[in-house]
Amino acid sequence: MATAVINEYLDAHRQQHLDKLFELLRIPSIANNNDGACNTAANWLVQYMSDLGVKARVAPTPTQPVVMGHLHVSDAAPTVLVYGHYDVQPATPLELWNSPPFEPTIRDGNIYARGADDDKGQLFGYLMALEAYVRTDTPLPVNLKFLIEGEEEIGSPSLEGFLRENLTELACDAVLISDSAFFAEGLPSITYALRGVGNGEFFITEANSDSHSGIHGGTLRNPLHVVCEIVAAMRDADGRIMVPGFYDDVLTLTPAQRESWSKLPFDEGEYARSLGLDHLGGGERGYSVLERLWARPTLDINGIVGGYAGKGGKTVIPGQASAKFSFRSVPNQDPHKLMDAIEQFVAARVPMGMKFRFEVGSANPPVLLGQDTPAMQAAKEALQEVFGAQTAMICCGASVSVSEMFQRMLGVDAVMMGFGLPDDNLHAPNEKYALSQFYNAAKTIAATWAKMSR
Ligand SMILES: [Zn+2]
């Protein structure tokens, strides 16, 4: 059995793989830094992949380079694109780390280092799986392509342009991404939907500058008051957004969906306590926390600007006030339509004679990934086999634009099979990755490839 040979190889080379991962973790490849560390990490990956027979290269972008690679074994085999990122979040504040962020350390069955989970540790699982096939002379069941970027942690500014320029080279049958987490320890999970995110700001202007509240008080309208009235009108007492059309295209949750989410090991009380609260008072009434996070859109005011907010008093009537807002959209919603609806809602409430300006920031769409693609089925089964538990199909309230880009530009639905655990301290001090997840990830990836070739 090919699987047995692969798993034996992976078990026998645990220490070597750990040593190699540590080399990669020692490179402080923070996307924002131009100290050459990102180039070092990219070159390290190219070297490792080349040694395994991958045609790999460092491809420049306007900022940090992308690592590209491909290994073609057969025209009959499916082609899998592996996406990952070698850049990491900054490690500050350093004093809160129990061991240095760029000196990986093992404690209590975990690897502690910046990037241990996000995403070097998870990404390295693909290289381990490939190595196991190559070194045991087991025929690789899929053609492999790699796209490993160095700017994920700063929002992937070069990625869309890079994809556009390399569409032919990136053509594939499936995309695998491991940059997320299990819903809970022992519960393997695949993320199949993510919310979109949009943001903007609206400005309301009365007089051409701030005015004396004594000399002009009682004659001028106060833009801050107007902004607050508009903001207050945006939601009702049950947490429903009052912008007309805001929920028009939202997909209704099926009873089966609600049932399966309600069975996930999620404790609303514990969630509240983790935020420093006794109970959760916010959100849209009639939906559970997971339903609100995964299947309902939101609109939030992020900040209100205007007048004087410094120390002490200043008796002015602001000339202008503004509010910054953001919204999260759910699958089937068009973020541009939502943006227009918000603009109309605000515009309709601006008193006659006051000036109004609406600034659109970004409007990134939500993603719904196919749940019955061969790659998704293969990953689901592989996770189940290796971890010995049914794979949970979950969603994510936050937004990850890369899977949306692959869907839109390559026409392929990614499989987001993350191996992190919820308490891995991503982007925070003491980031960790469990050794058991690290070792089992490689086995799962190897098994996914084998199942995809059926
Ligand atoms: Zn990541």
Side-chain angles (χ1 to χ4, degrees):
M1 256 303 271
T3 316
V5 176
I6 298 291
N7 288 349
E8 256 167 51
Y9 179 91
L10 289 169
D11 284 337
H13 291 78
R14 288 183 165 198
Q15 190 56 50
Q16 287 92 323
H17 287 147
L18 206 52
D19 291 345
K20 277 304 193 184
L21 174 65
F22 278 22
E23 279 184 23
L24 182 59
L25 290 173
R26 285 191 189 103
I27 306 169
S29 43
I30 298 163
N32 264 333
N33 289 1
N34 286 315
D35 54 3
C38 282
N39 277 300
T40 306
N43 284 313
W44 188 96
L45 286 164
V46 166
Q47 185 63 53
Y48 199 95
M49 289 157 70
S50 301
D51 288 348
L52 295 172
V54 178
K55 276 200 176 122
R57 64 188 166 94
V58 174
T61 76
T63 34
Q64 304 297 0
V66 168
V67 173
M68 291 279 275
H70 54 99
L71 181 56
H72 186 86
V73 292
S74 152
D75 287 343
T79 298
V80 175
L81 174 66
V82 173
Y83 164 87
H85 64 92
Y86 65 76
D87 64 309
V88 296
Q89 282 279 324
T92 46
L94 295 176
E95 65 276 13
L96 296 183
W97 284 78
N98 295 327
S99 52
F102 296 107
E103 188 41 65
T105 308
I106 304 279
R107 279 196 308 276
D108 321 319
N110 295 301
I111 307 161
Y112 283 89
R114 171 59 84 230
D117 166 322
D118 180 15
D119 179 46
K120 289 173 175 171
Q122 295 205 49
L123 169 67
F124 197 67
Y126 289 86
L127 302 184
M128 289 155 73
L130 172 61
E131 186 190 298
Y133 275 100
V134 172
R135 298 286 177 240
T136 58
D137 290 321
T138 308
L140 188 65
V142 293
N143 301 308
L144 284 178
K145 291 184 177 182
F146 287 92
L147 168 65
I148 307 169
E149 66 157 320
E151 301 180 333
E152 196 275 344
E153 302 294 3
I154 54 167
S156 306
S158 309
L159 192 62
E160 184 157 351
F162 187 84
L163 287 183
R164 202 173 299 121
E165 281 164 25
N166 295 278
L167 280 180
T168 325
E169 194 178 341
L170 291 165
C172 59
D173 301 303
V175 176
L176 297 182
I177 304 177
S178 294
D179 192 17
S180 50
F182 278 24
F183 187 82
E185 193 166 357
L187 183 59
S189 316
I190 293 177
T191 305
Y192 70 93
L194 301 116
R195 287 197 290 195
V197 60
N199 76 295
E201 183 168 3
F202 61 88
F203 301 79
I204 304 218
T205 310
E206 171 81 334
N208 49 17
S209 71
D210 289 357
S211 309
H212 192 290
S213 75
I215 294 174
H216 300 289
T219 65
L220 290 171
R221 287 167 298 195
N222 187 323
L224 258 180
H225 287 232
V226 174
V227 163
C228 290
E229 282 156 17
I230 294 172
V231 166
M234 280 179 168
R235 63 175 64 221
D236 72 5
D238 288 335
R240 269 185 77 83
I241 304 303
M242 300 308 285
V243 174
F246 198 75
Y247 296 100
D248 275 4
D249 300 321
V250 176
L251 301 173
T252 310
L253 279 163
T254 63
Q257 224 168 358
R258 300 190 92 158
E259 161 93 6
S260 84
W261 290 356
S262 73
K263 285 188 180 143
L264 289 169
F266 181 78
D267 182 335
E268 293 193 5
E270 208 173 284
Y271 173 69
R273 282 188 291 281
S274 76
L275 298 168
L277 302 167
D278 297 332
H279 69 282
L280 287 174
E284 198 183 349
R285 208 167 284 180
Y287 296 92
S288 72
V289 169
L290 290 182
E291 288 167 0
R292 280 182 258 157
L293 289 173
W294 292 353
R296 301 296 296 169
T298 64
L299 171 60
D300 278 289
I301 296 301
N302 313 122
I304 291 179
V305 186
Y308 180 74
K311 251 192 167 170
K314 189 180 180 198
T315 51
V316 289
I317 301 168
Q320 178 177 277
S322 67
K324 292 177 186 288
F325 65 89
S326 63
F327 60 86
R328 300 278 168 173
S329 55
V330 293
N332 202 45
Q333 285 193 298
D334 175 352
H336 299 286
K337 207 170 146 187
L338 289 183
M339 192 65 92
D340 289 346
I342 295 166
E343 179 170 4
Q344 279 171 30
F345 178 88
V346 178
R349 282 163 181 76
V350 179
M352 261 238 283
M354 291 184 98
K355 285 189 221 76
F356 165 61
R357 186 158 60 86
F358 190 86
E359 234 171 52
V360 175
S362 63
N364 298 320
V367 197
L368 180 62
L369 300 164
Q371 289 187 69
D372 44 16
T373 64
M376 191 71 102
Q377 289 307 324
K380 236 170 151 173
E381 283 174 33
L383 279 165
Q384 218 145 299
E385 273 173 27
V386 174
F387 289 91
Q390 188 125 20
T391 305
M393 299 303 290
I394 61 172
C395 307
C396 179
S399 312
V400 181
S401 54
V402 58
S403 55
E404 187 276 326
M405 277 185 222
F406 288 138
Q407 193 178 54
R408 175 165 43 89
M409 301 178 77
L410 298 177
V412 178
D413 283 357
V415 177
M416 302 182 69
M417 116 173 113
F419 295 99
L421 292 177
D423 62 349
D424 277 351
N425 300 320
L426 303 191
H427 301 191
N430 303 309
E431 178 178 348
K432 70 164 179 69
Y433 190 35
L435 282 170
S436 54
Q437 297 292 107
F438 175 60
Y439 296 133
N440 281 334
K443 290 181 182 174
T444 308
I445 292 159
T448 301
W449 293 342
K451 288 174 190 299
M452 282 185 66
S453 72
R454 283 176 309 205

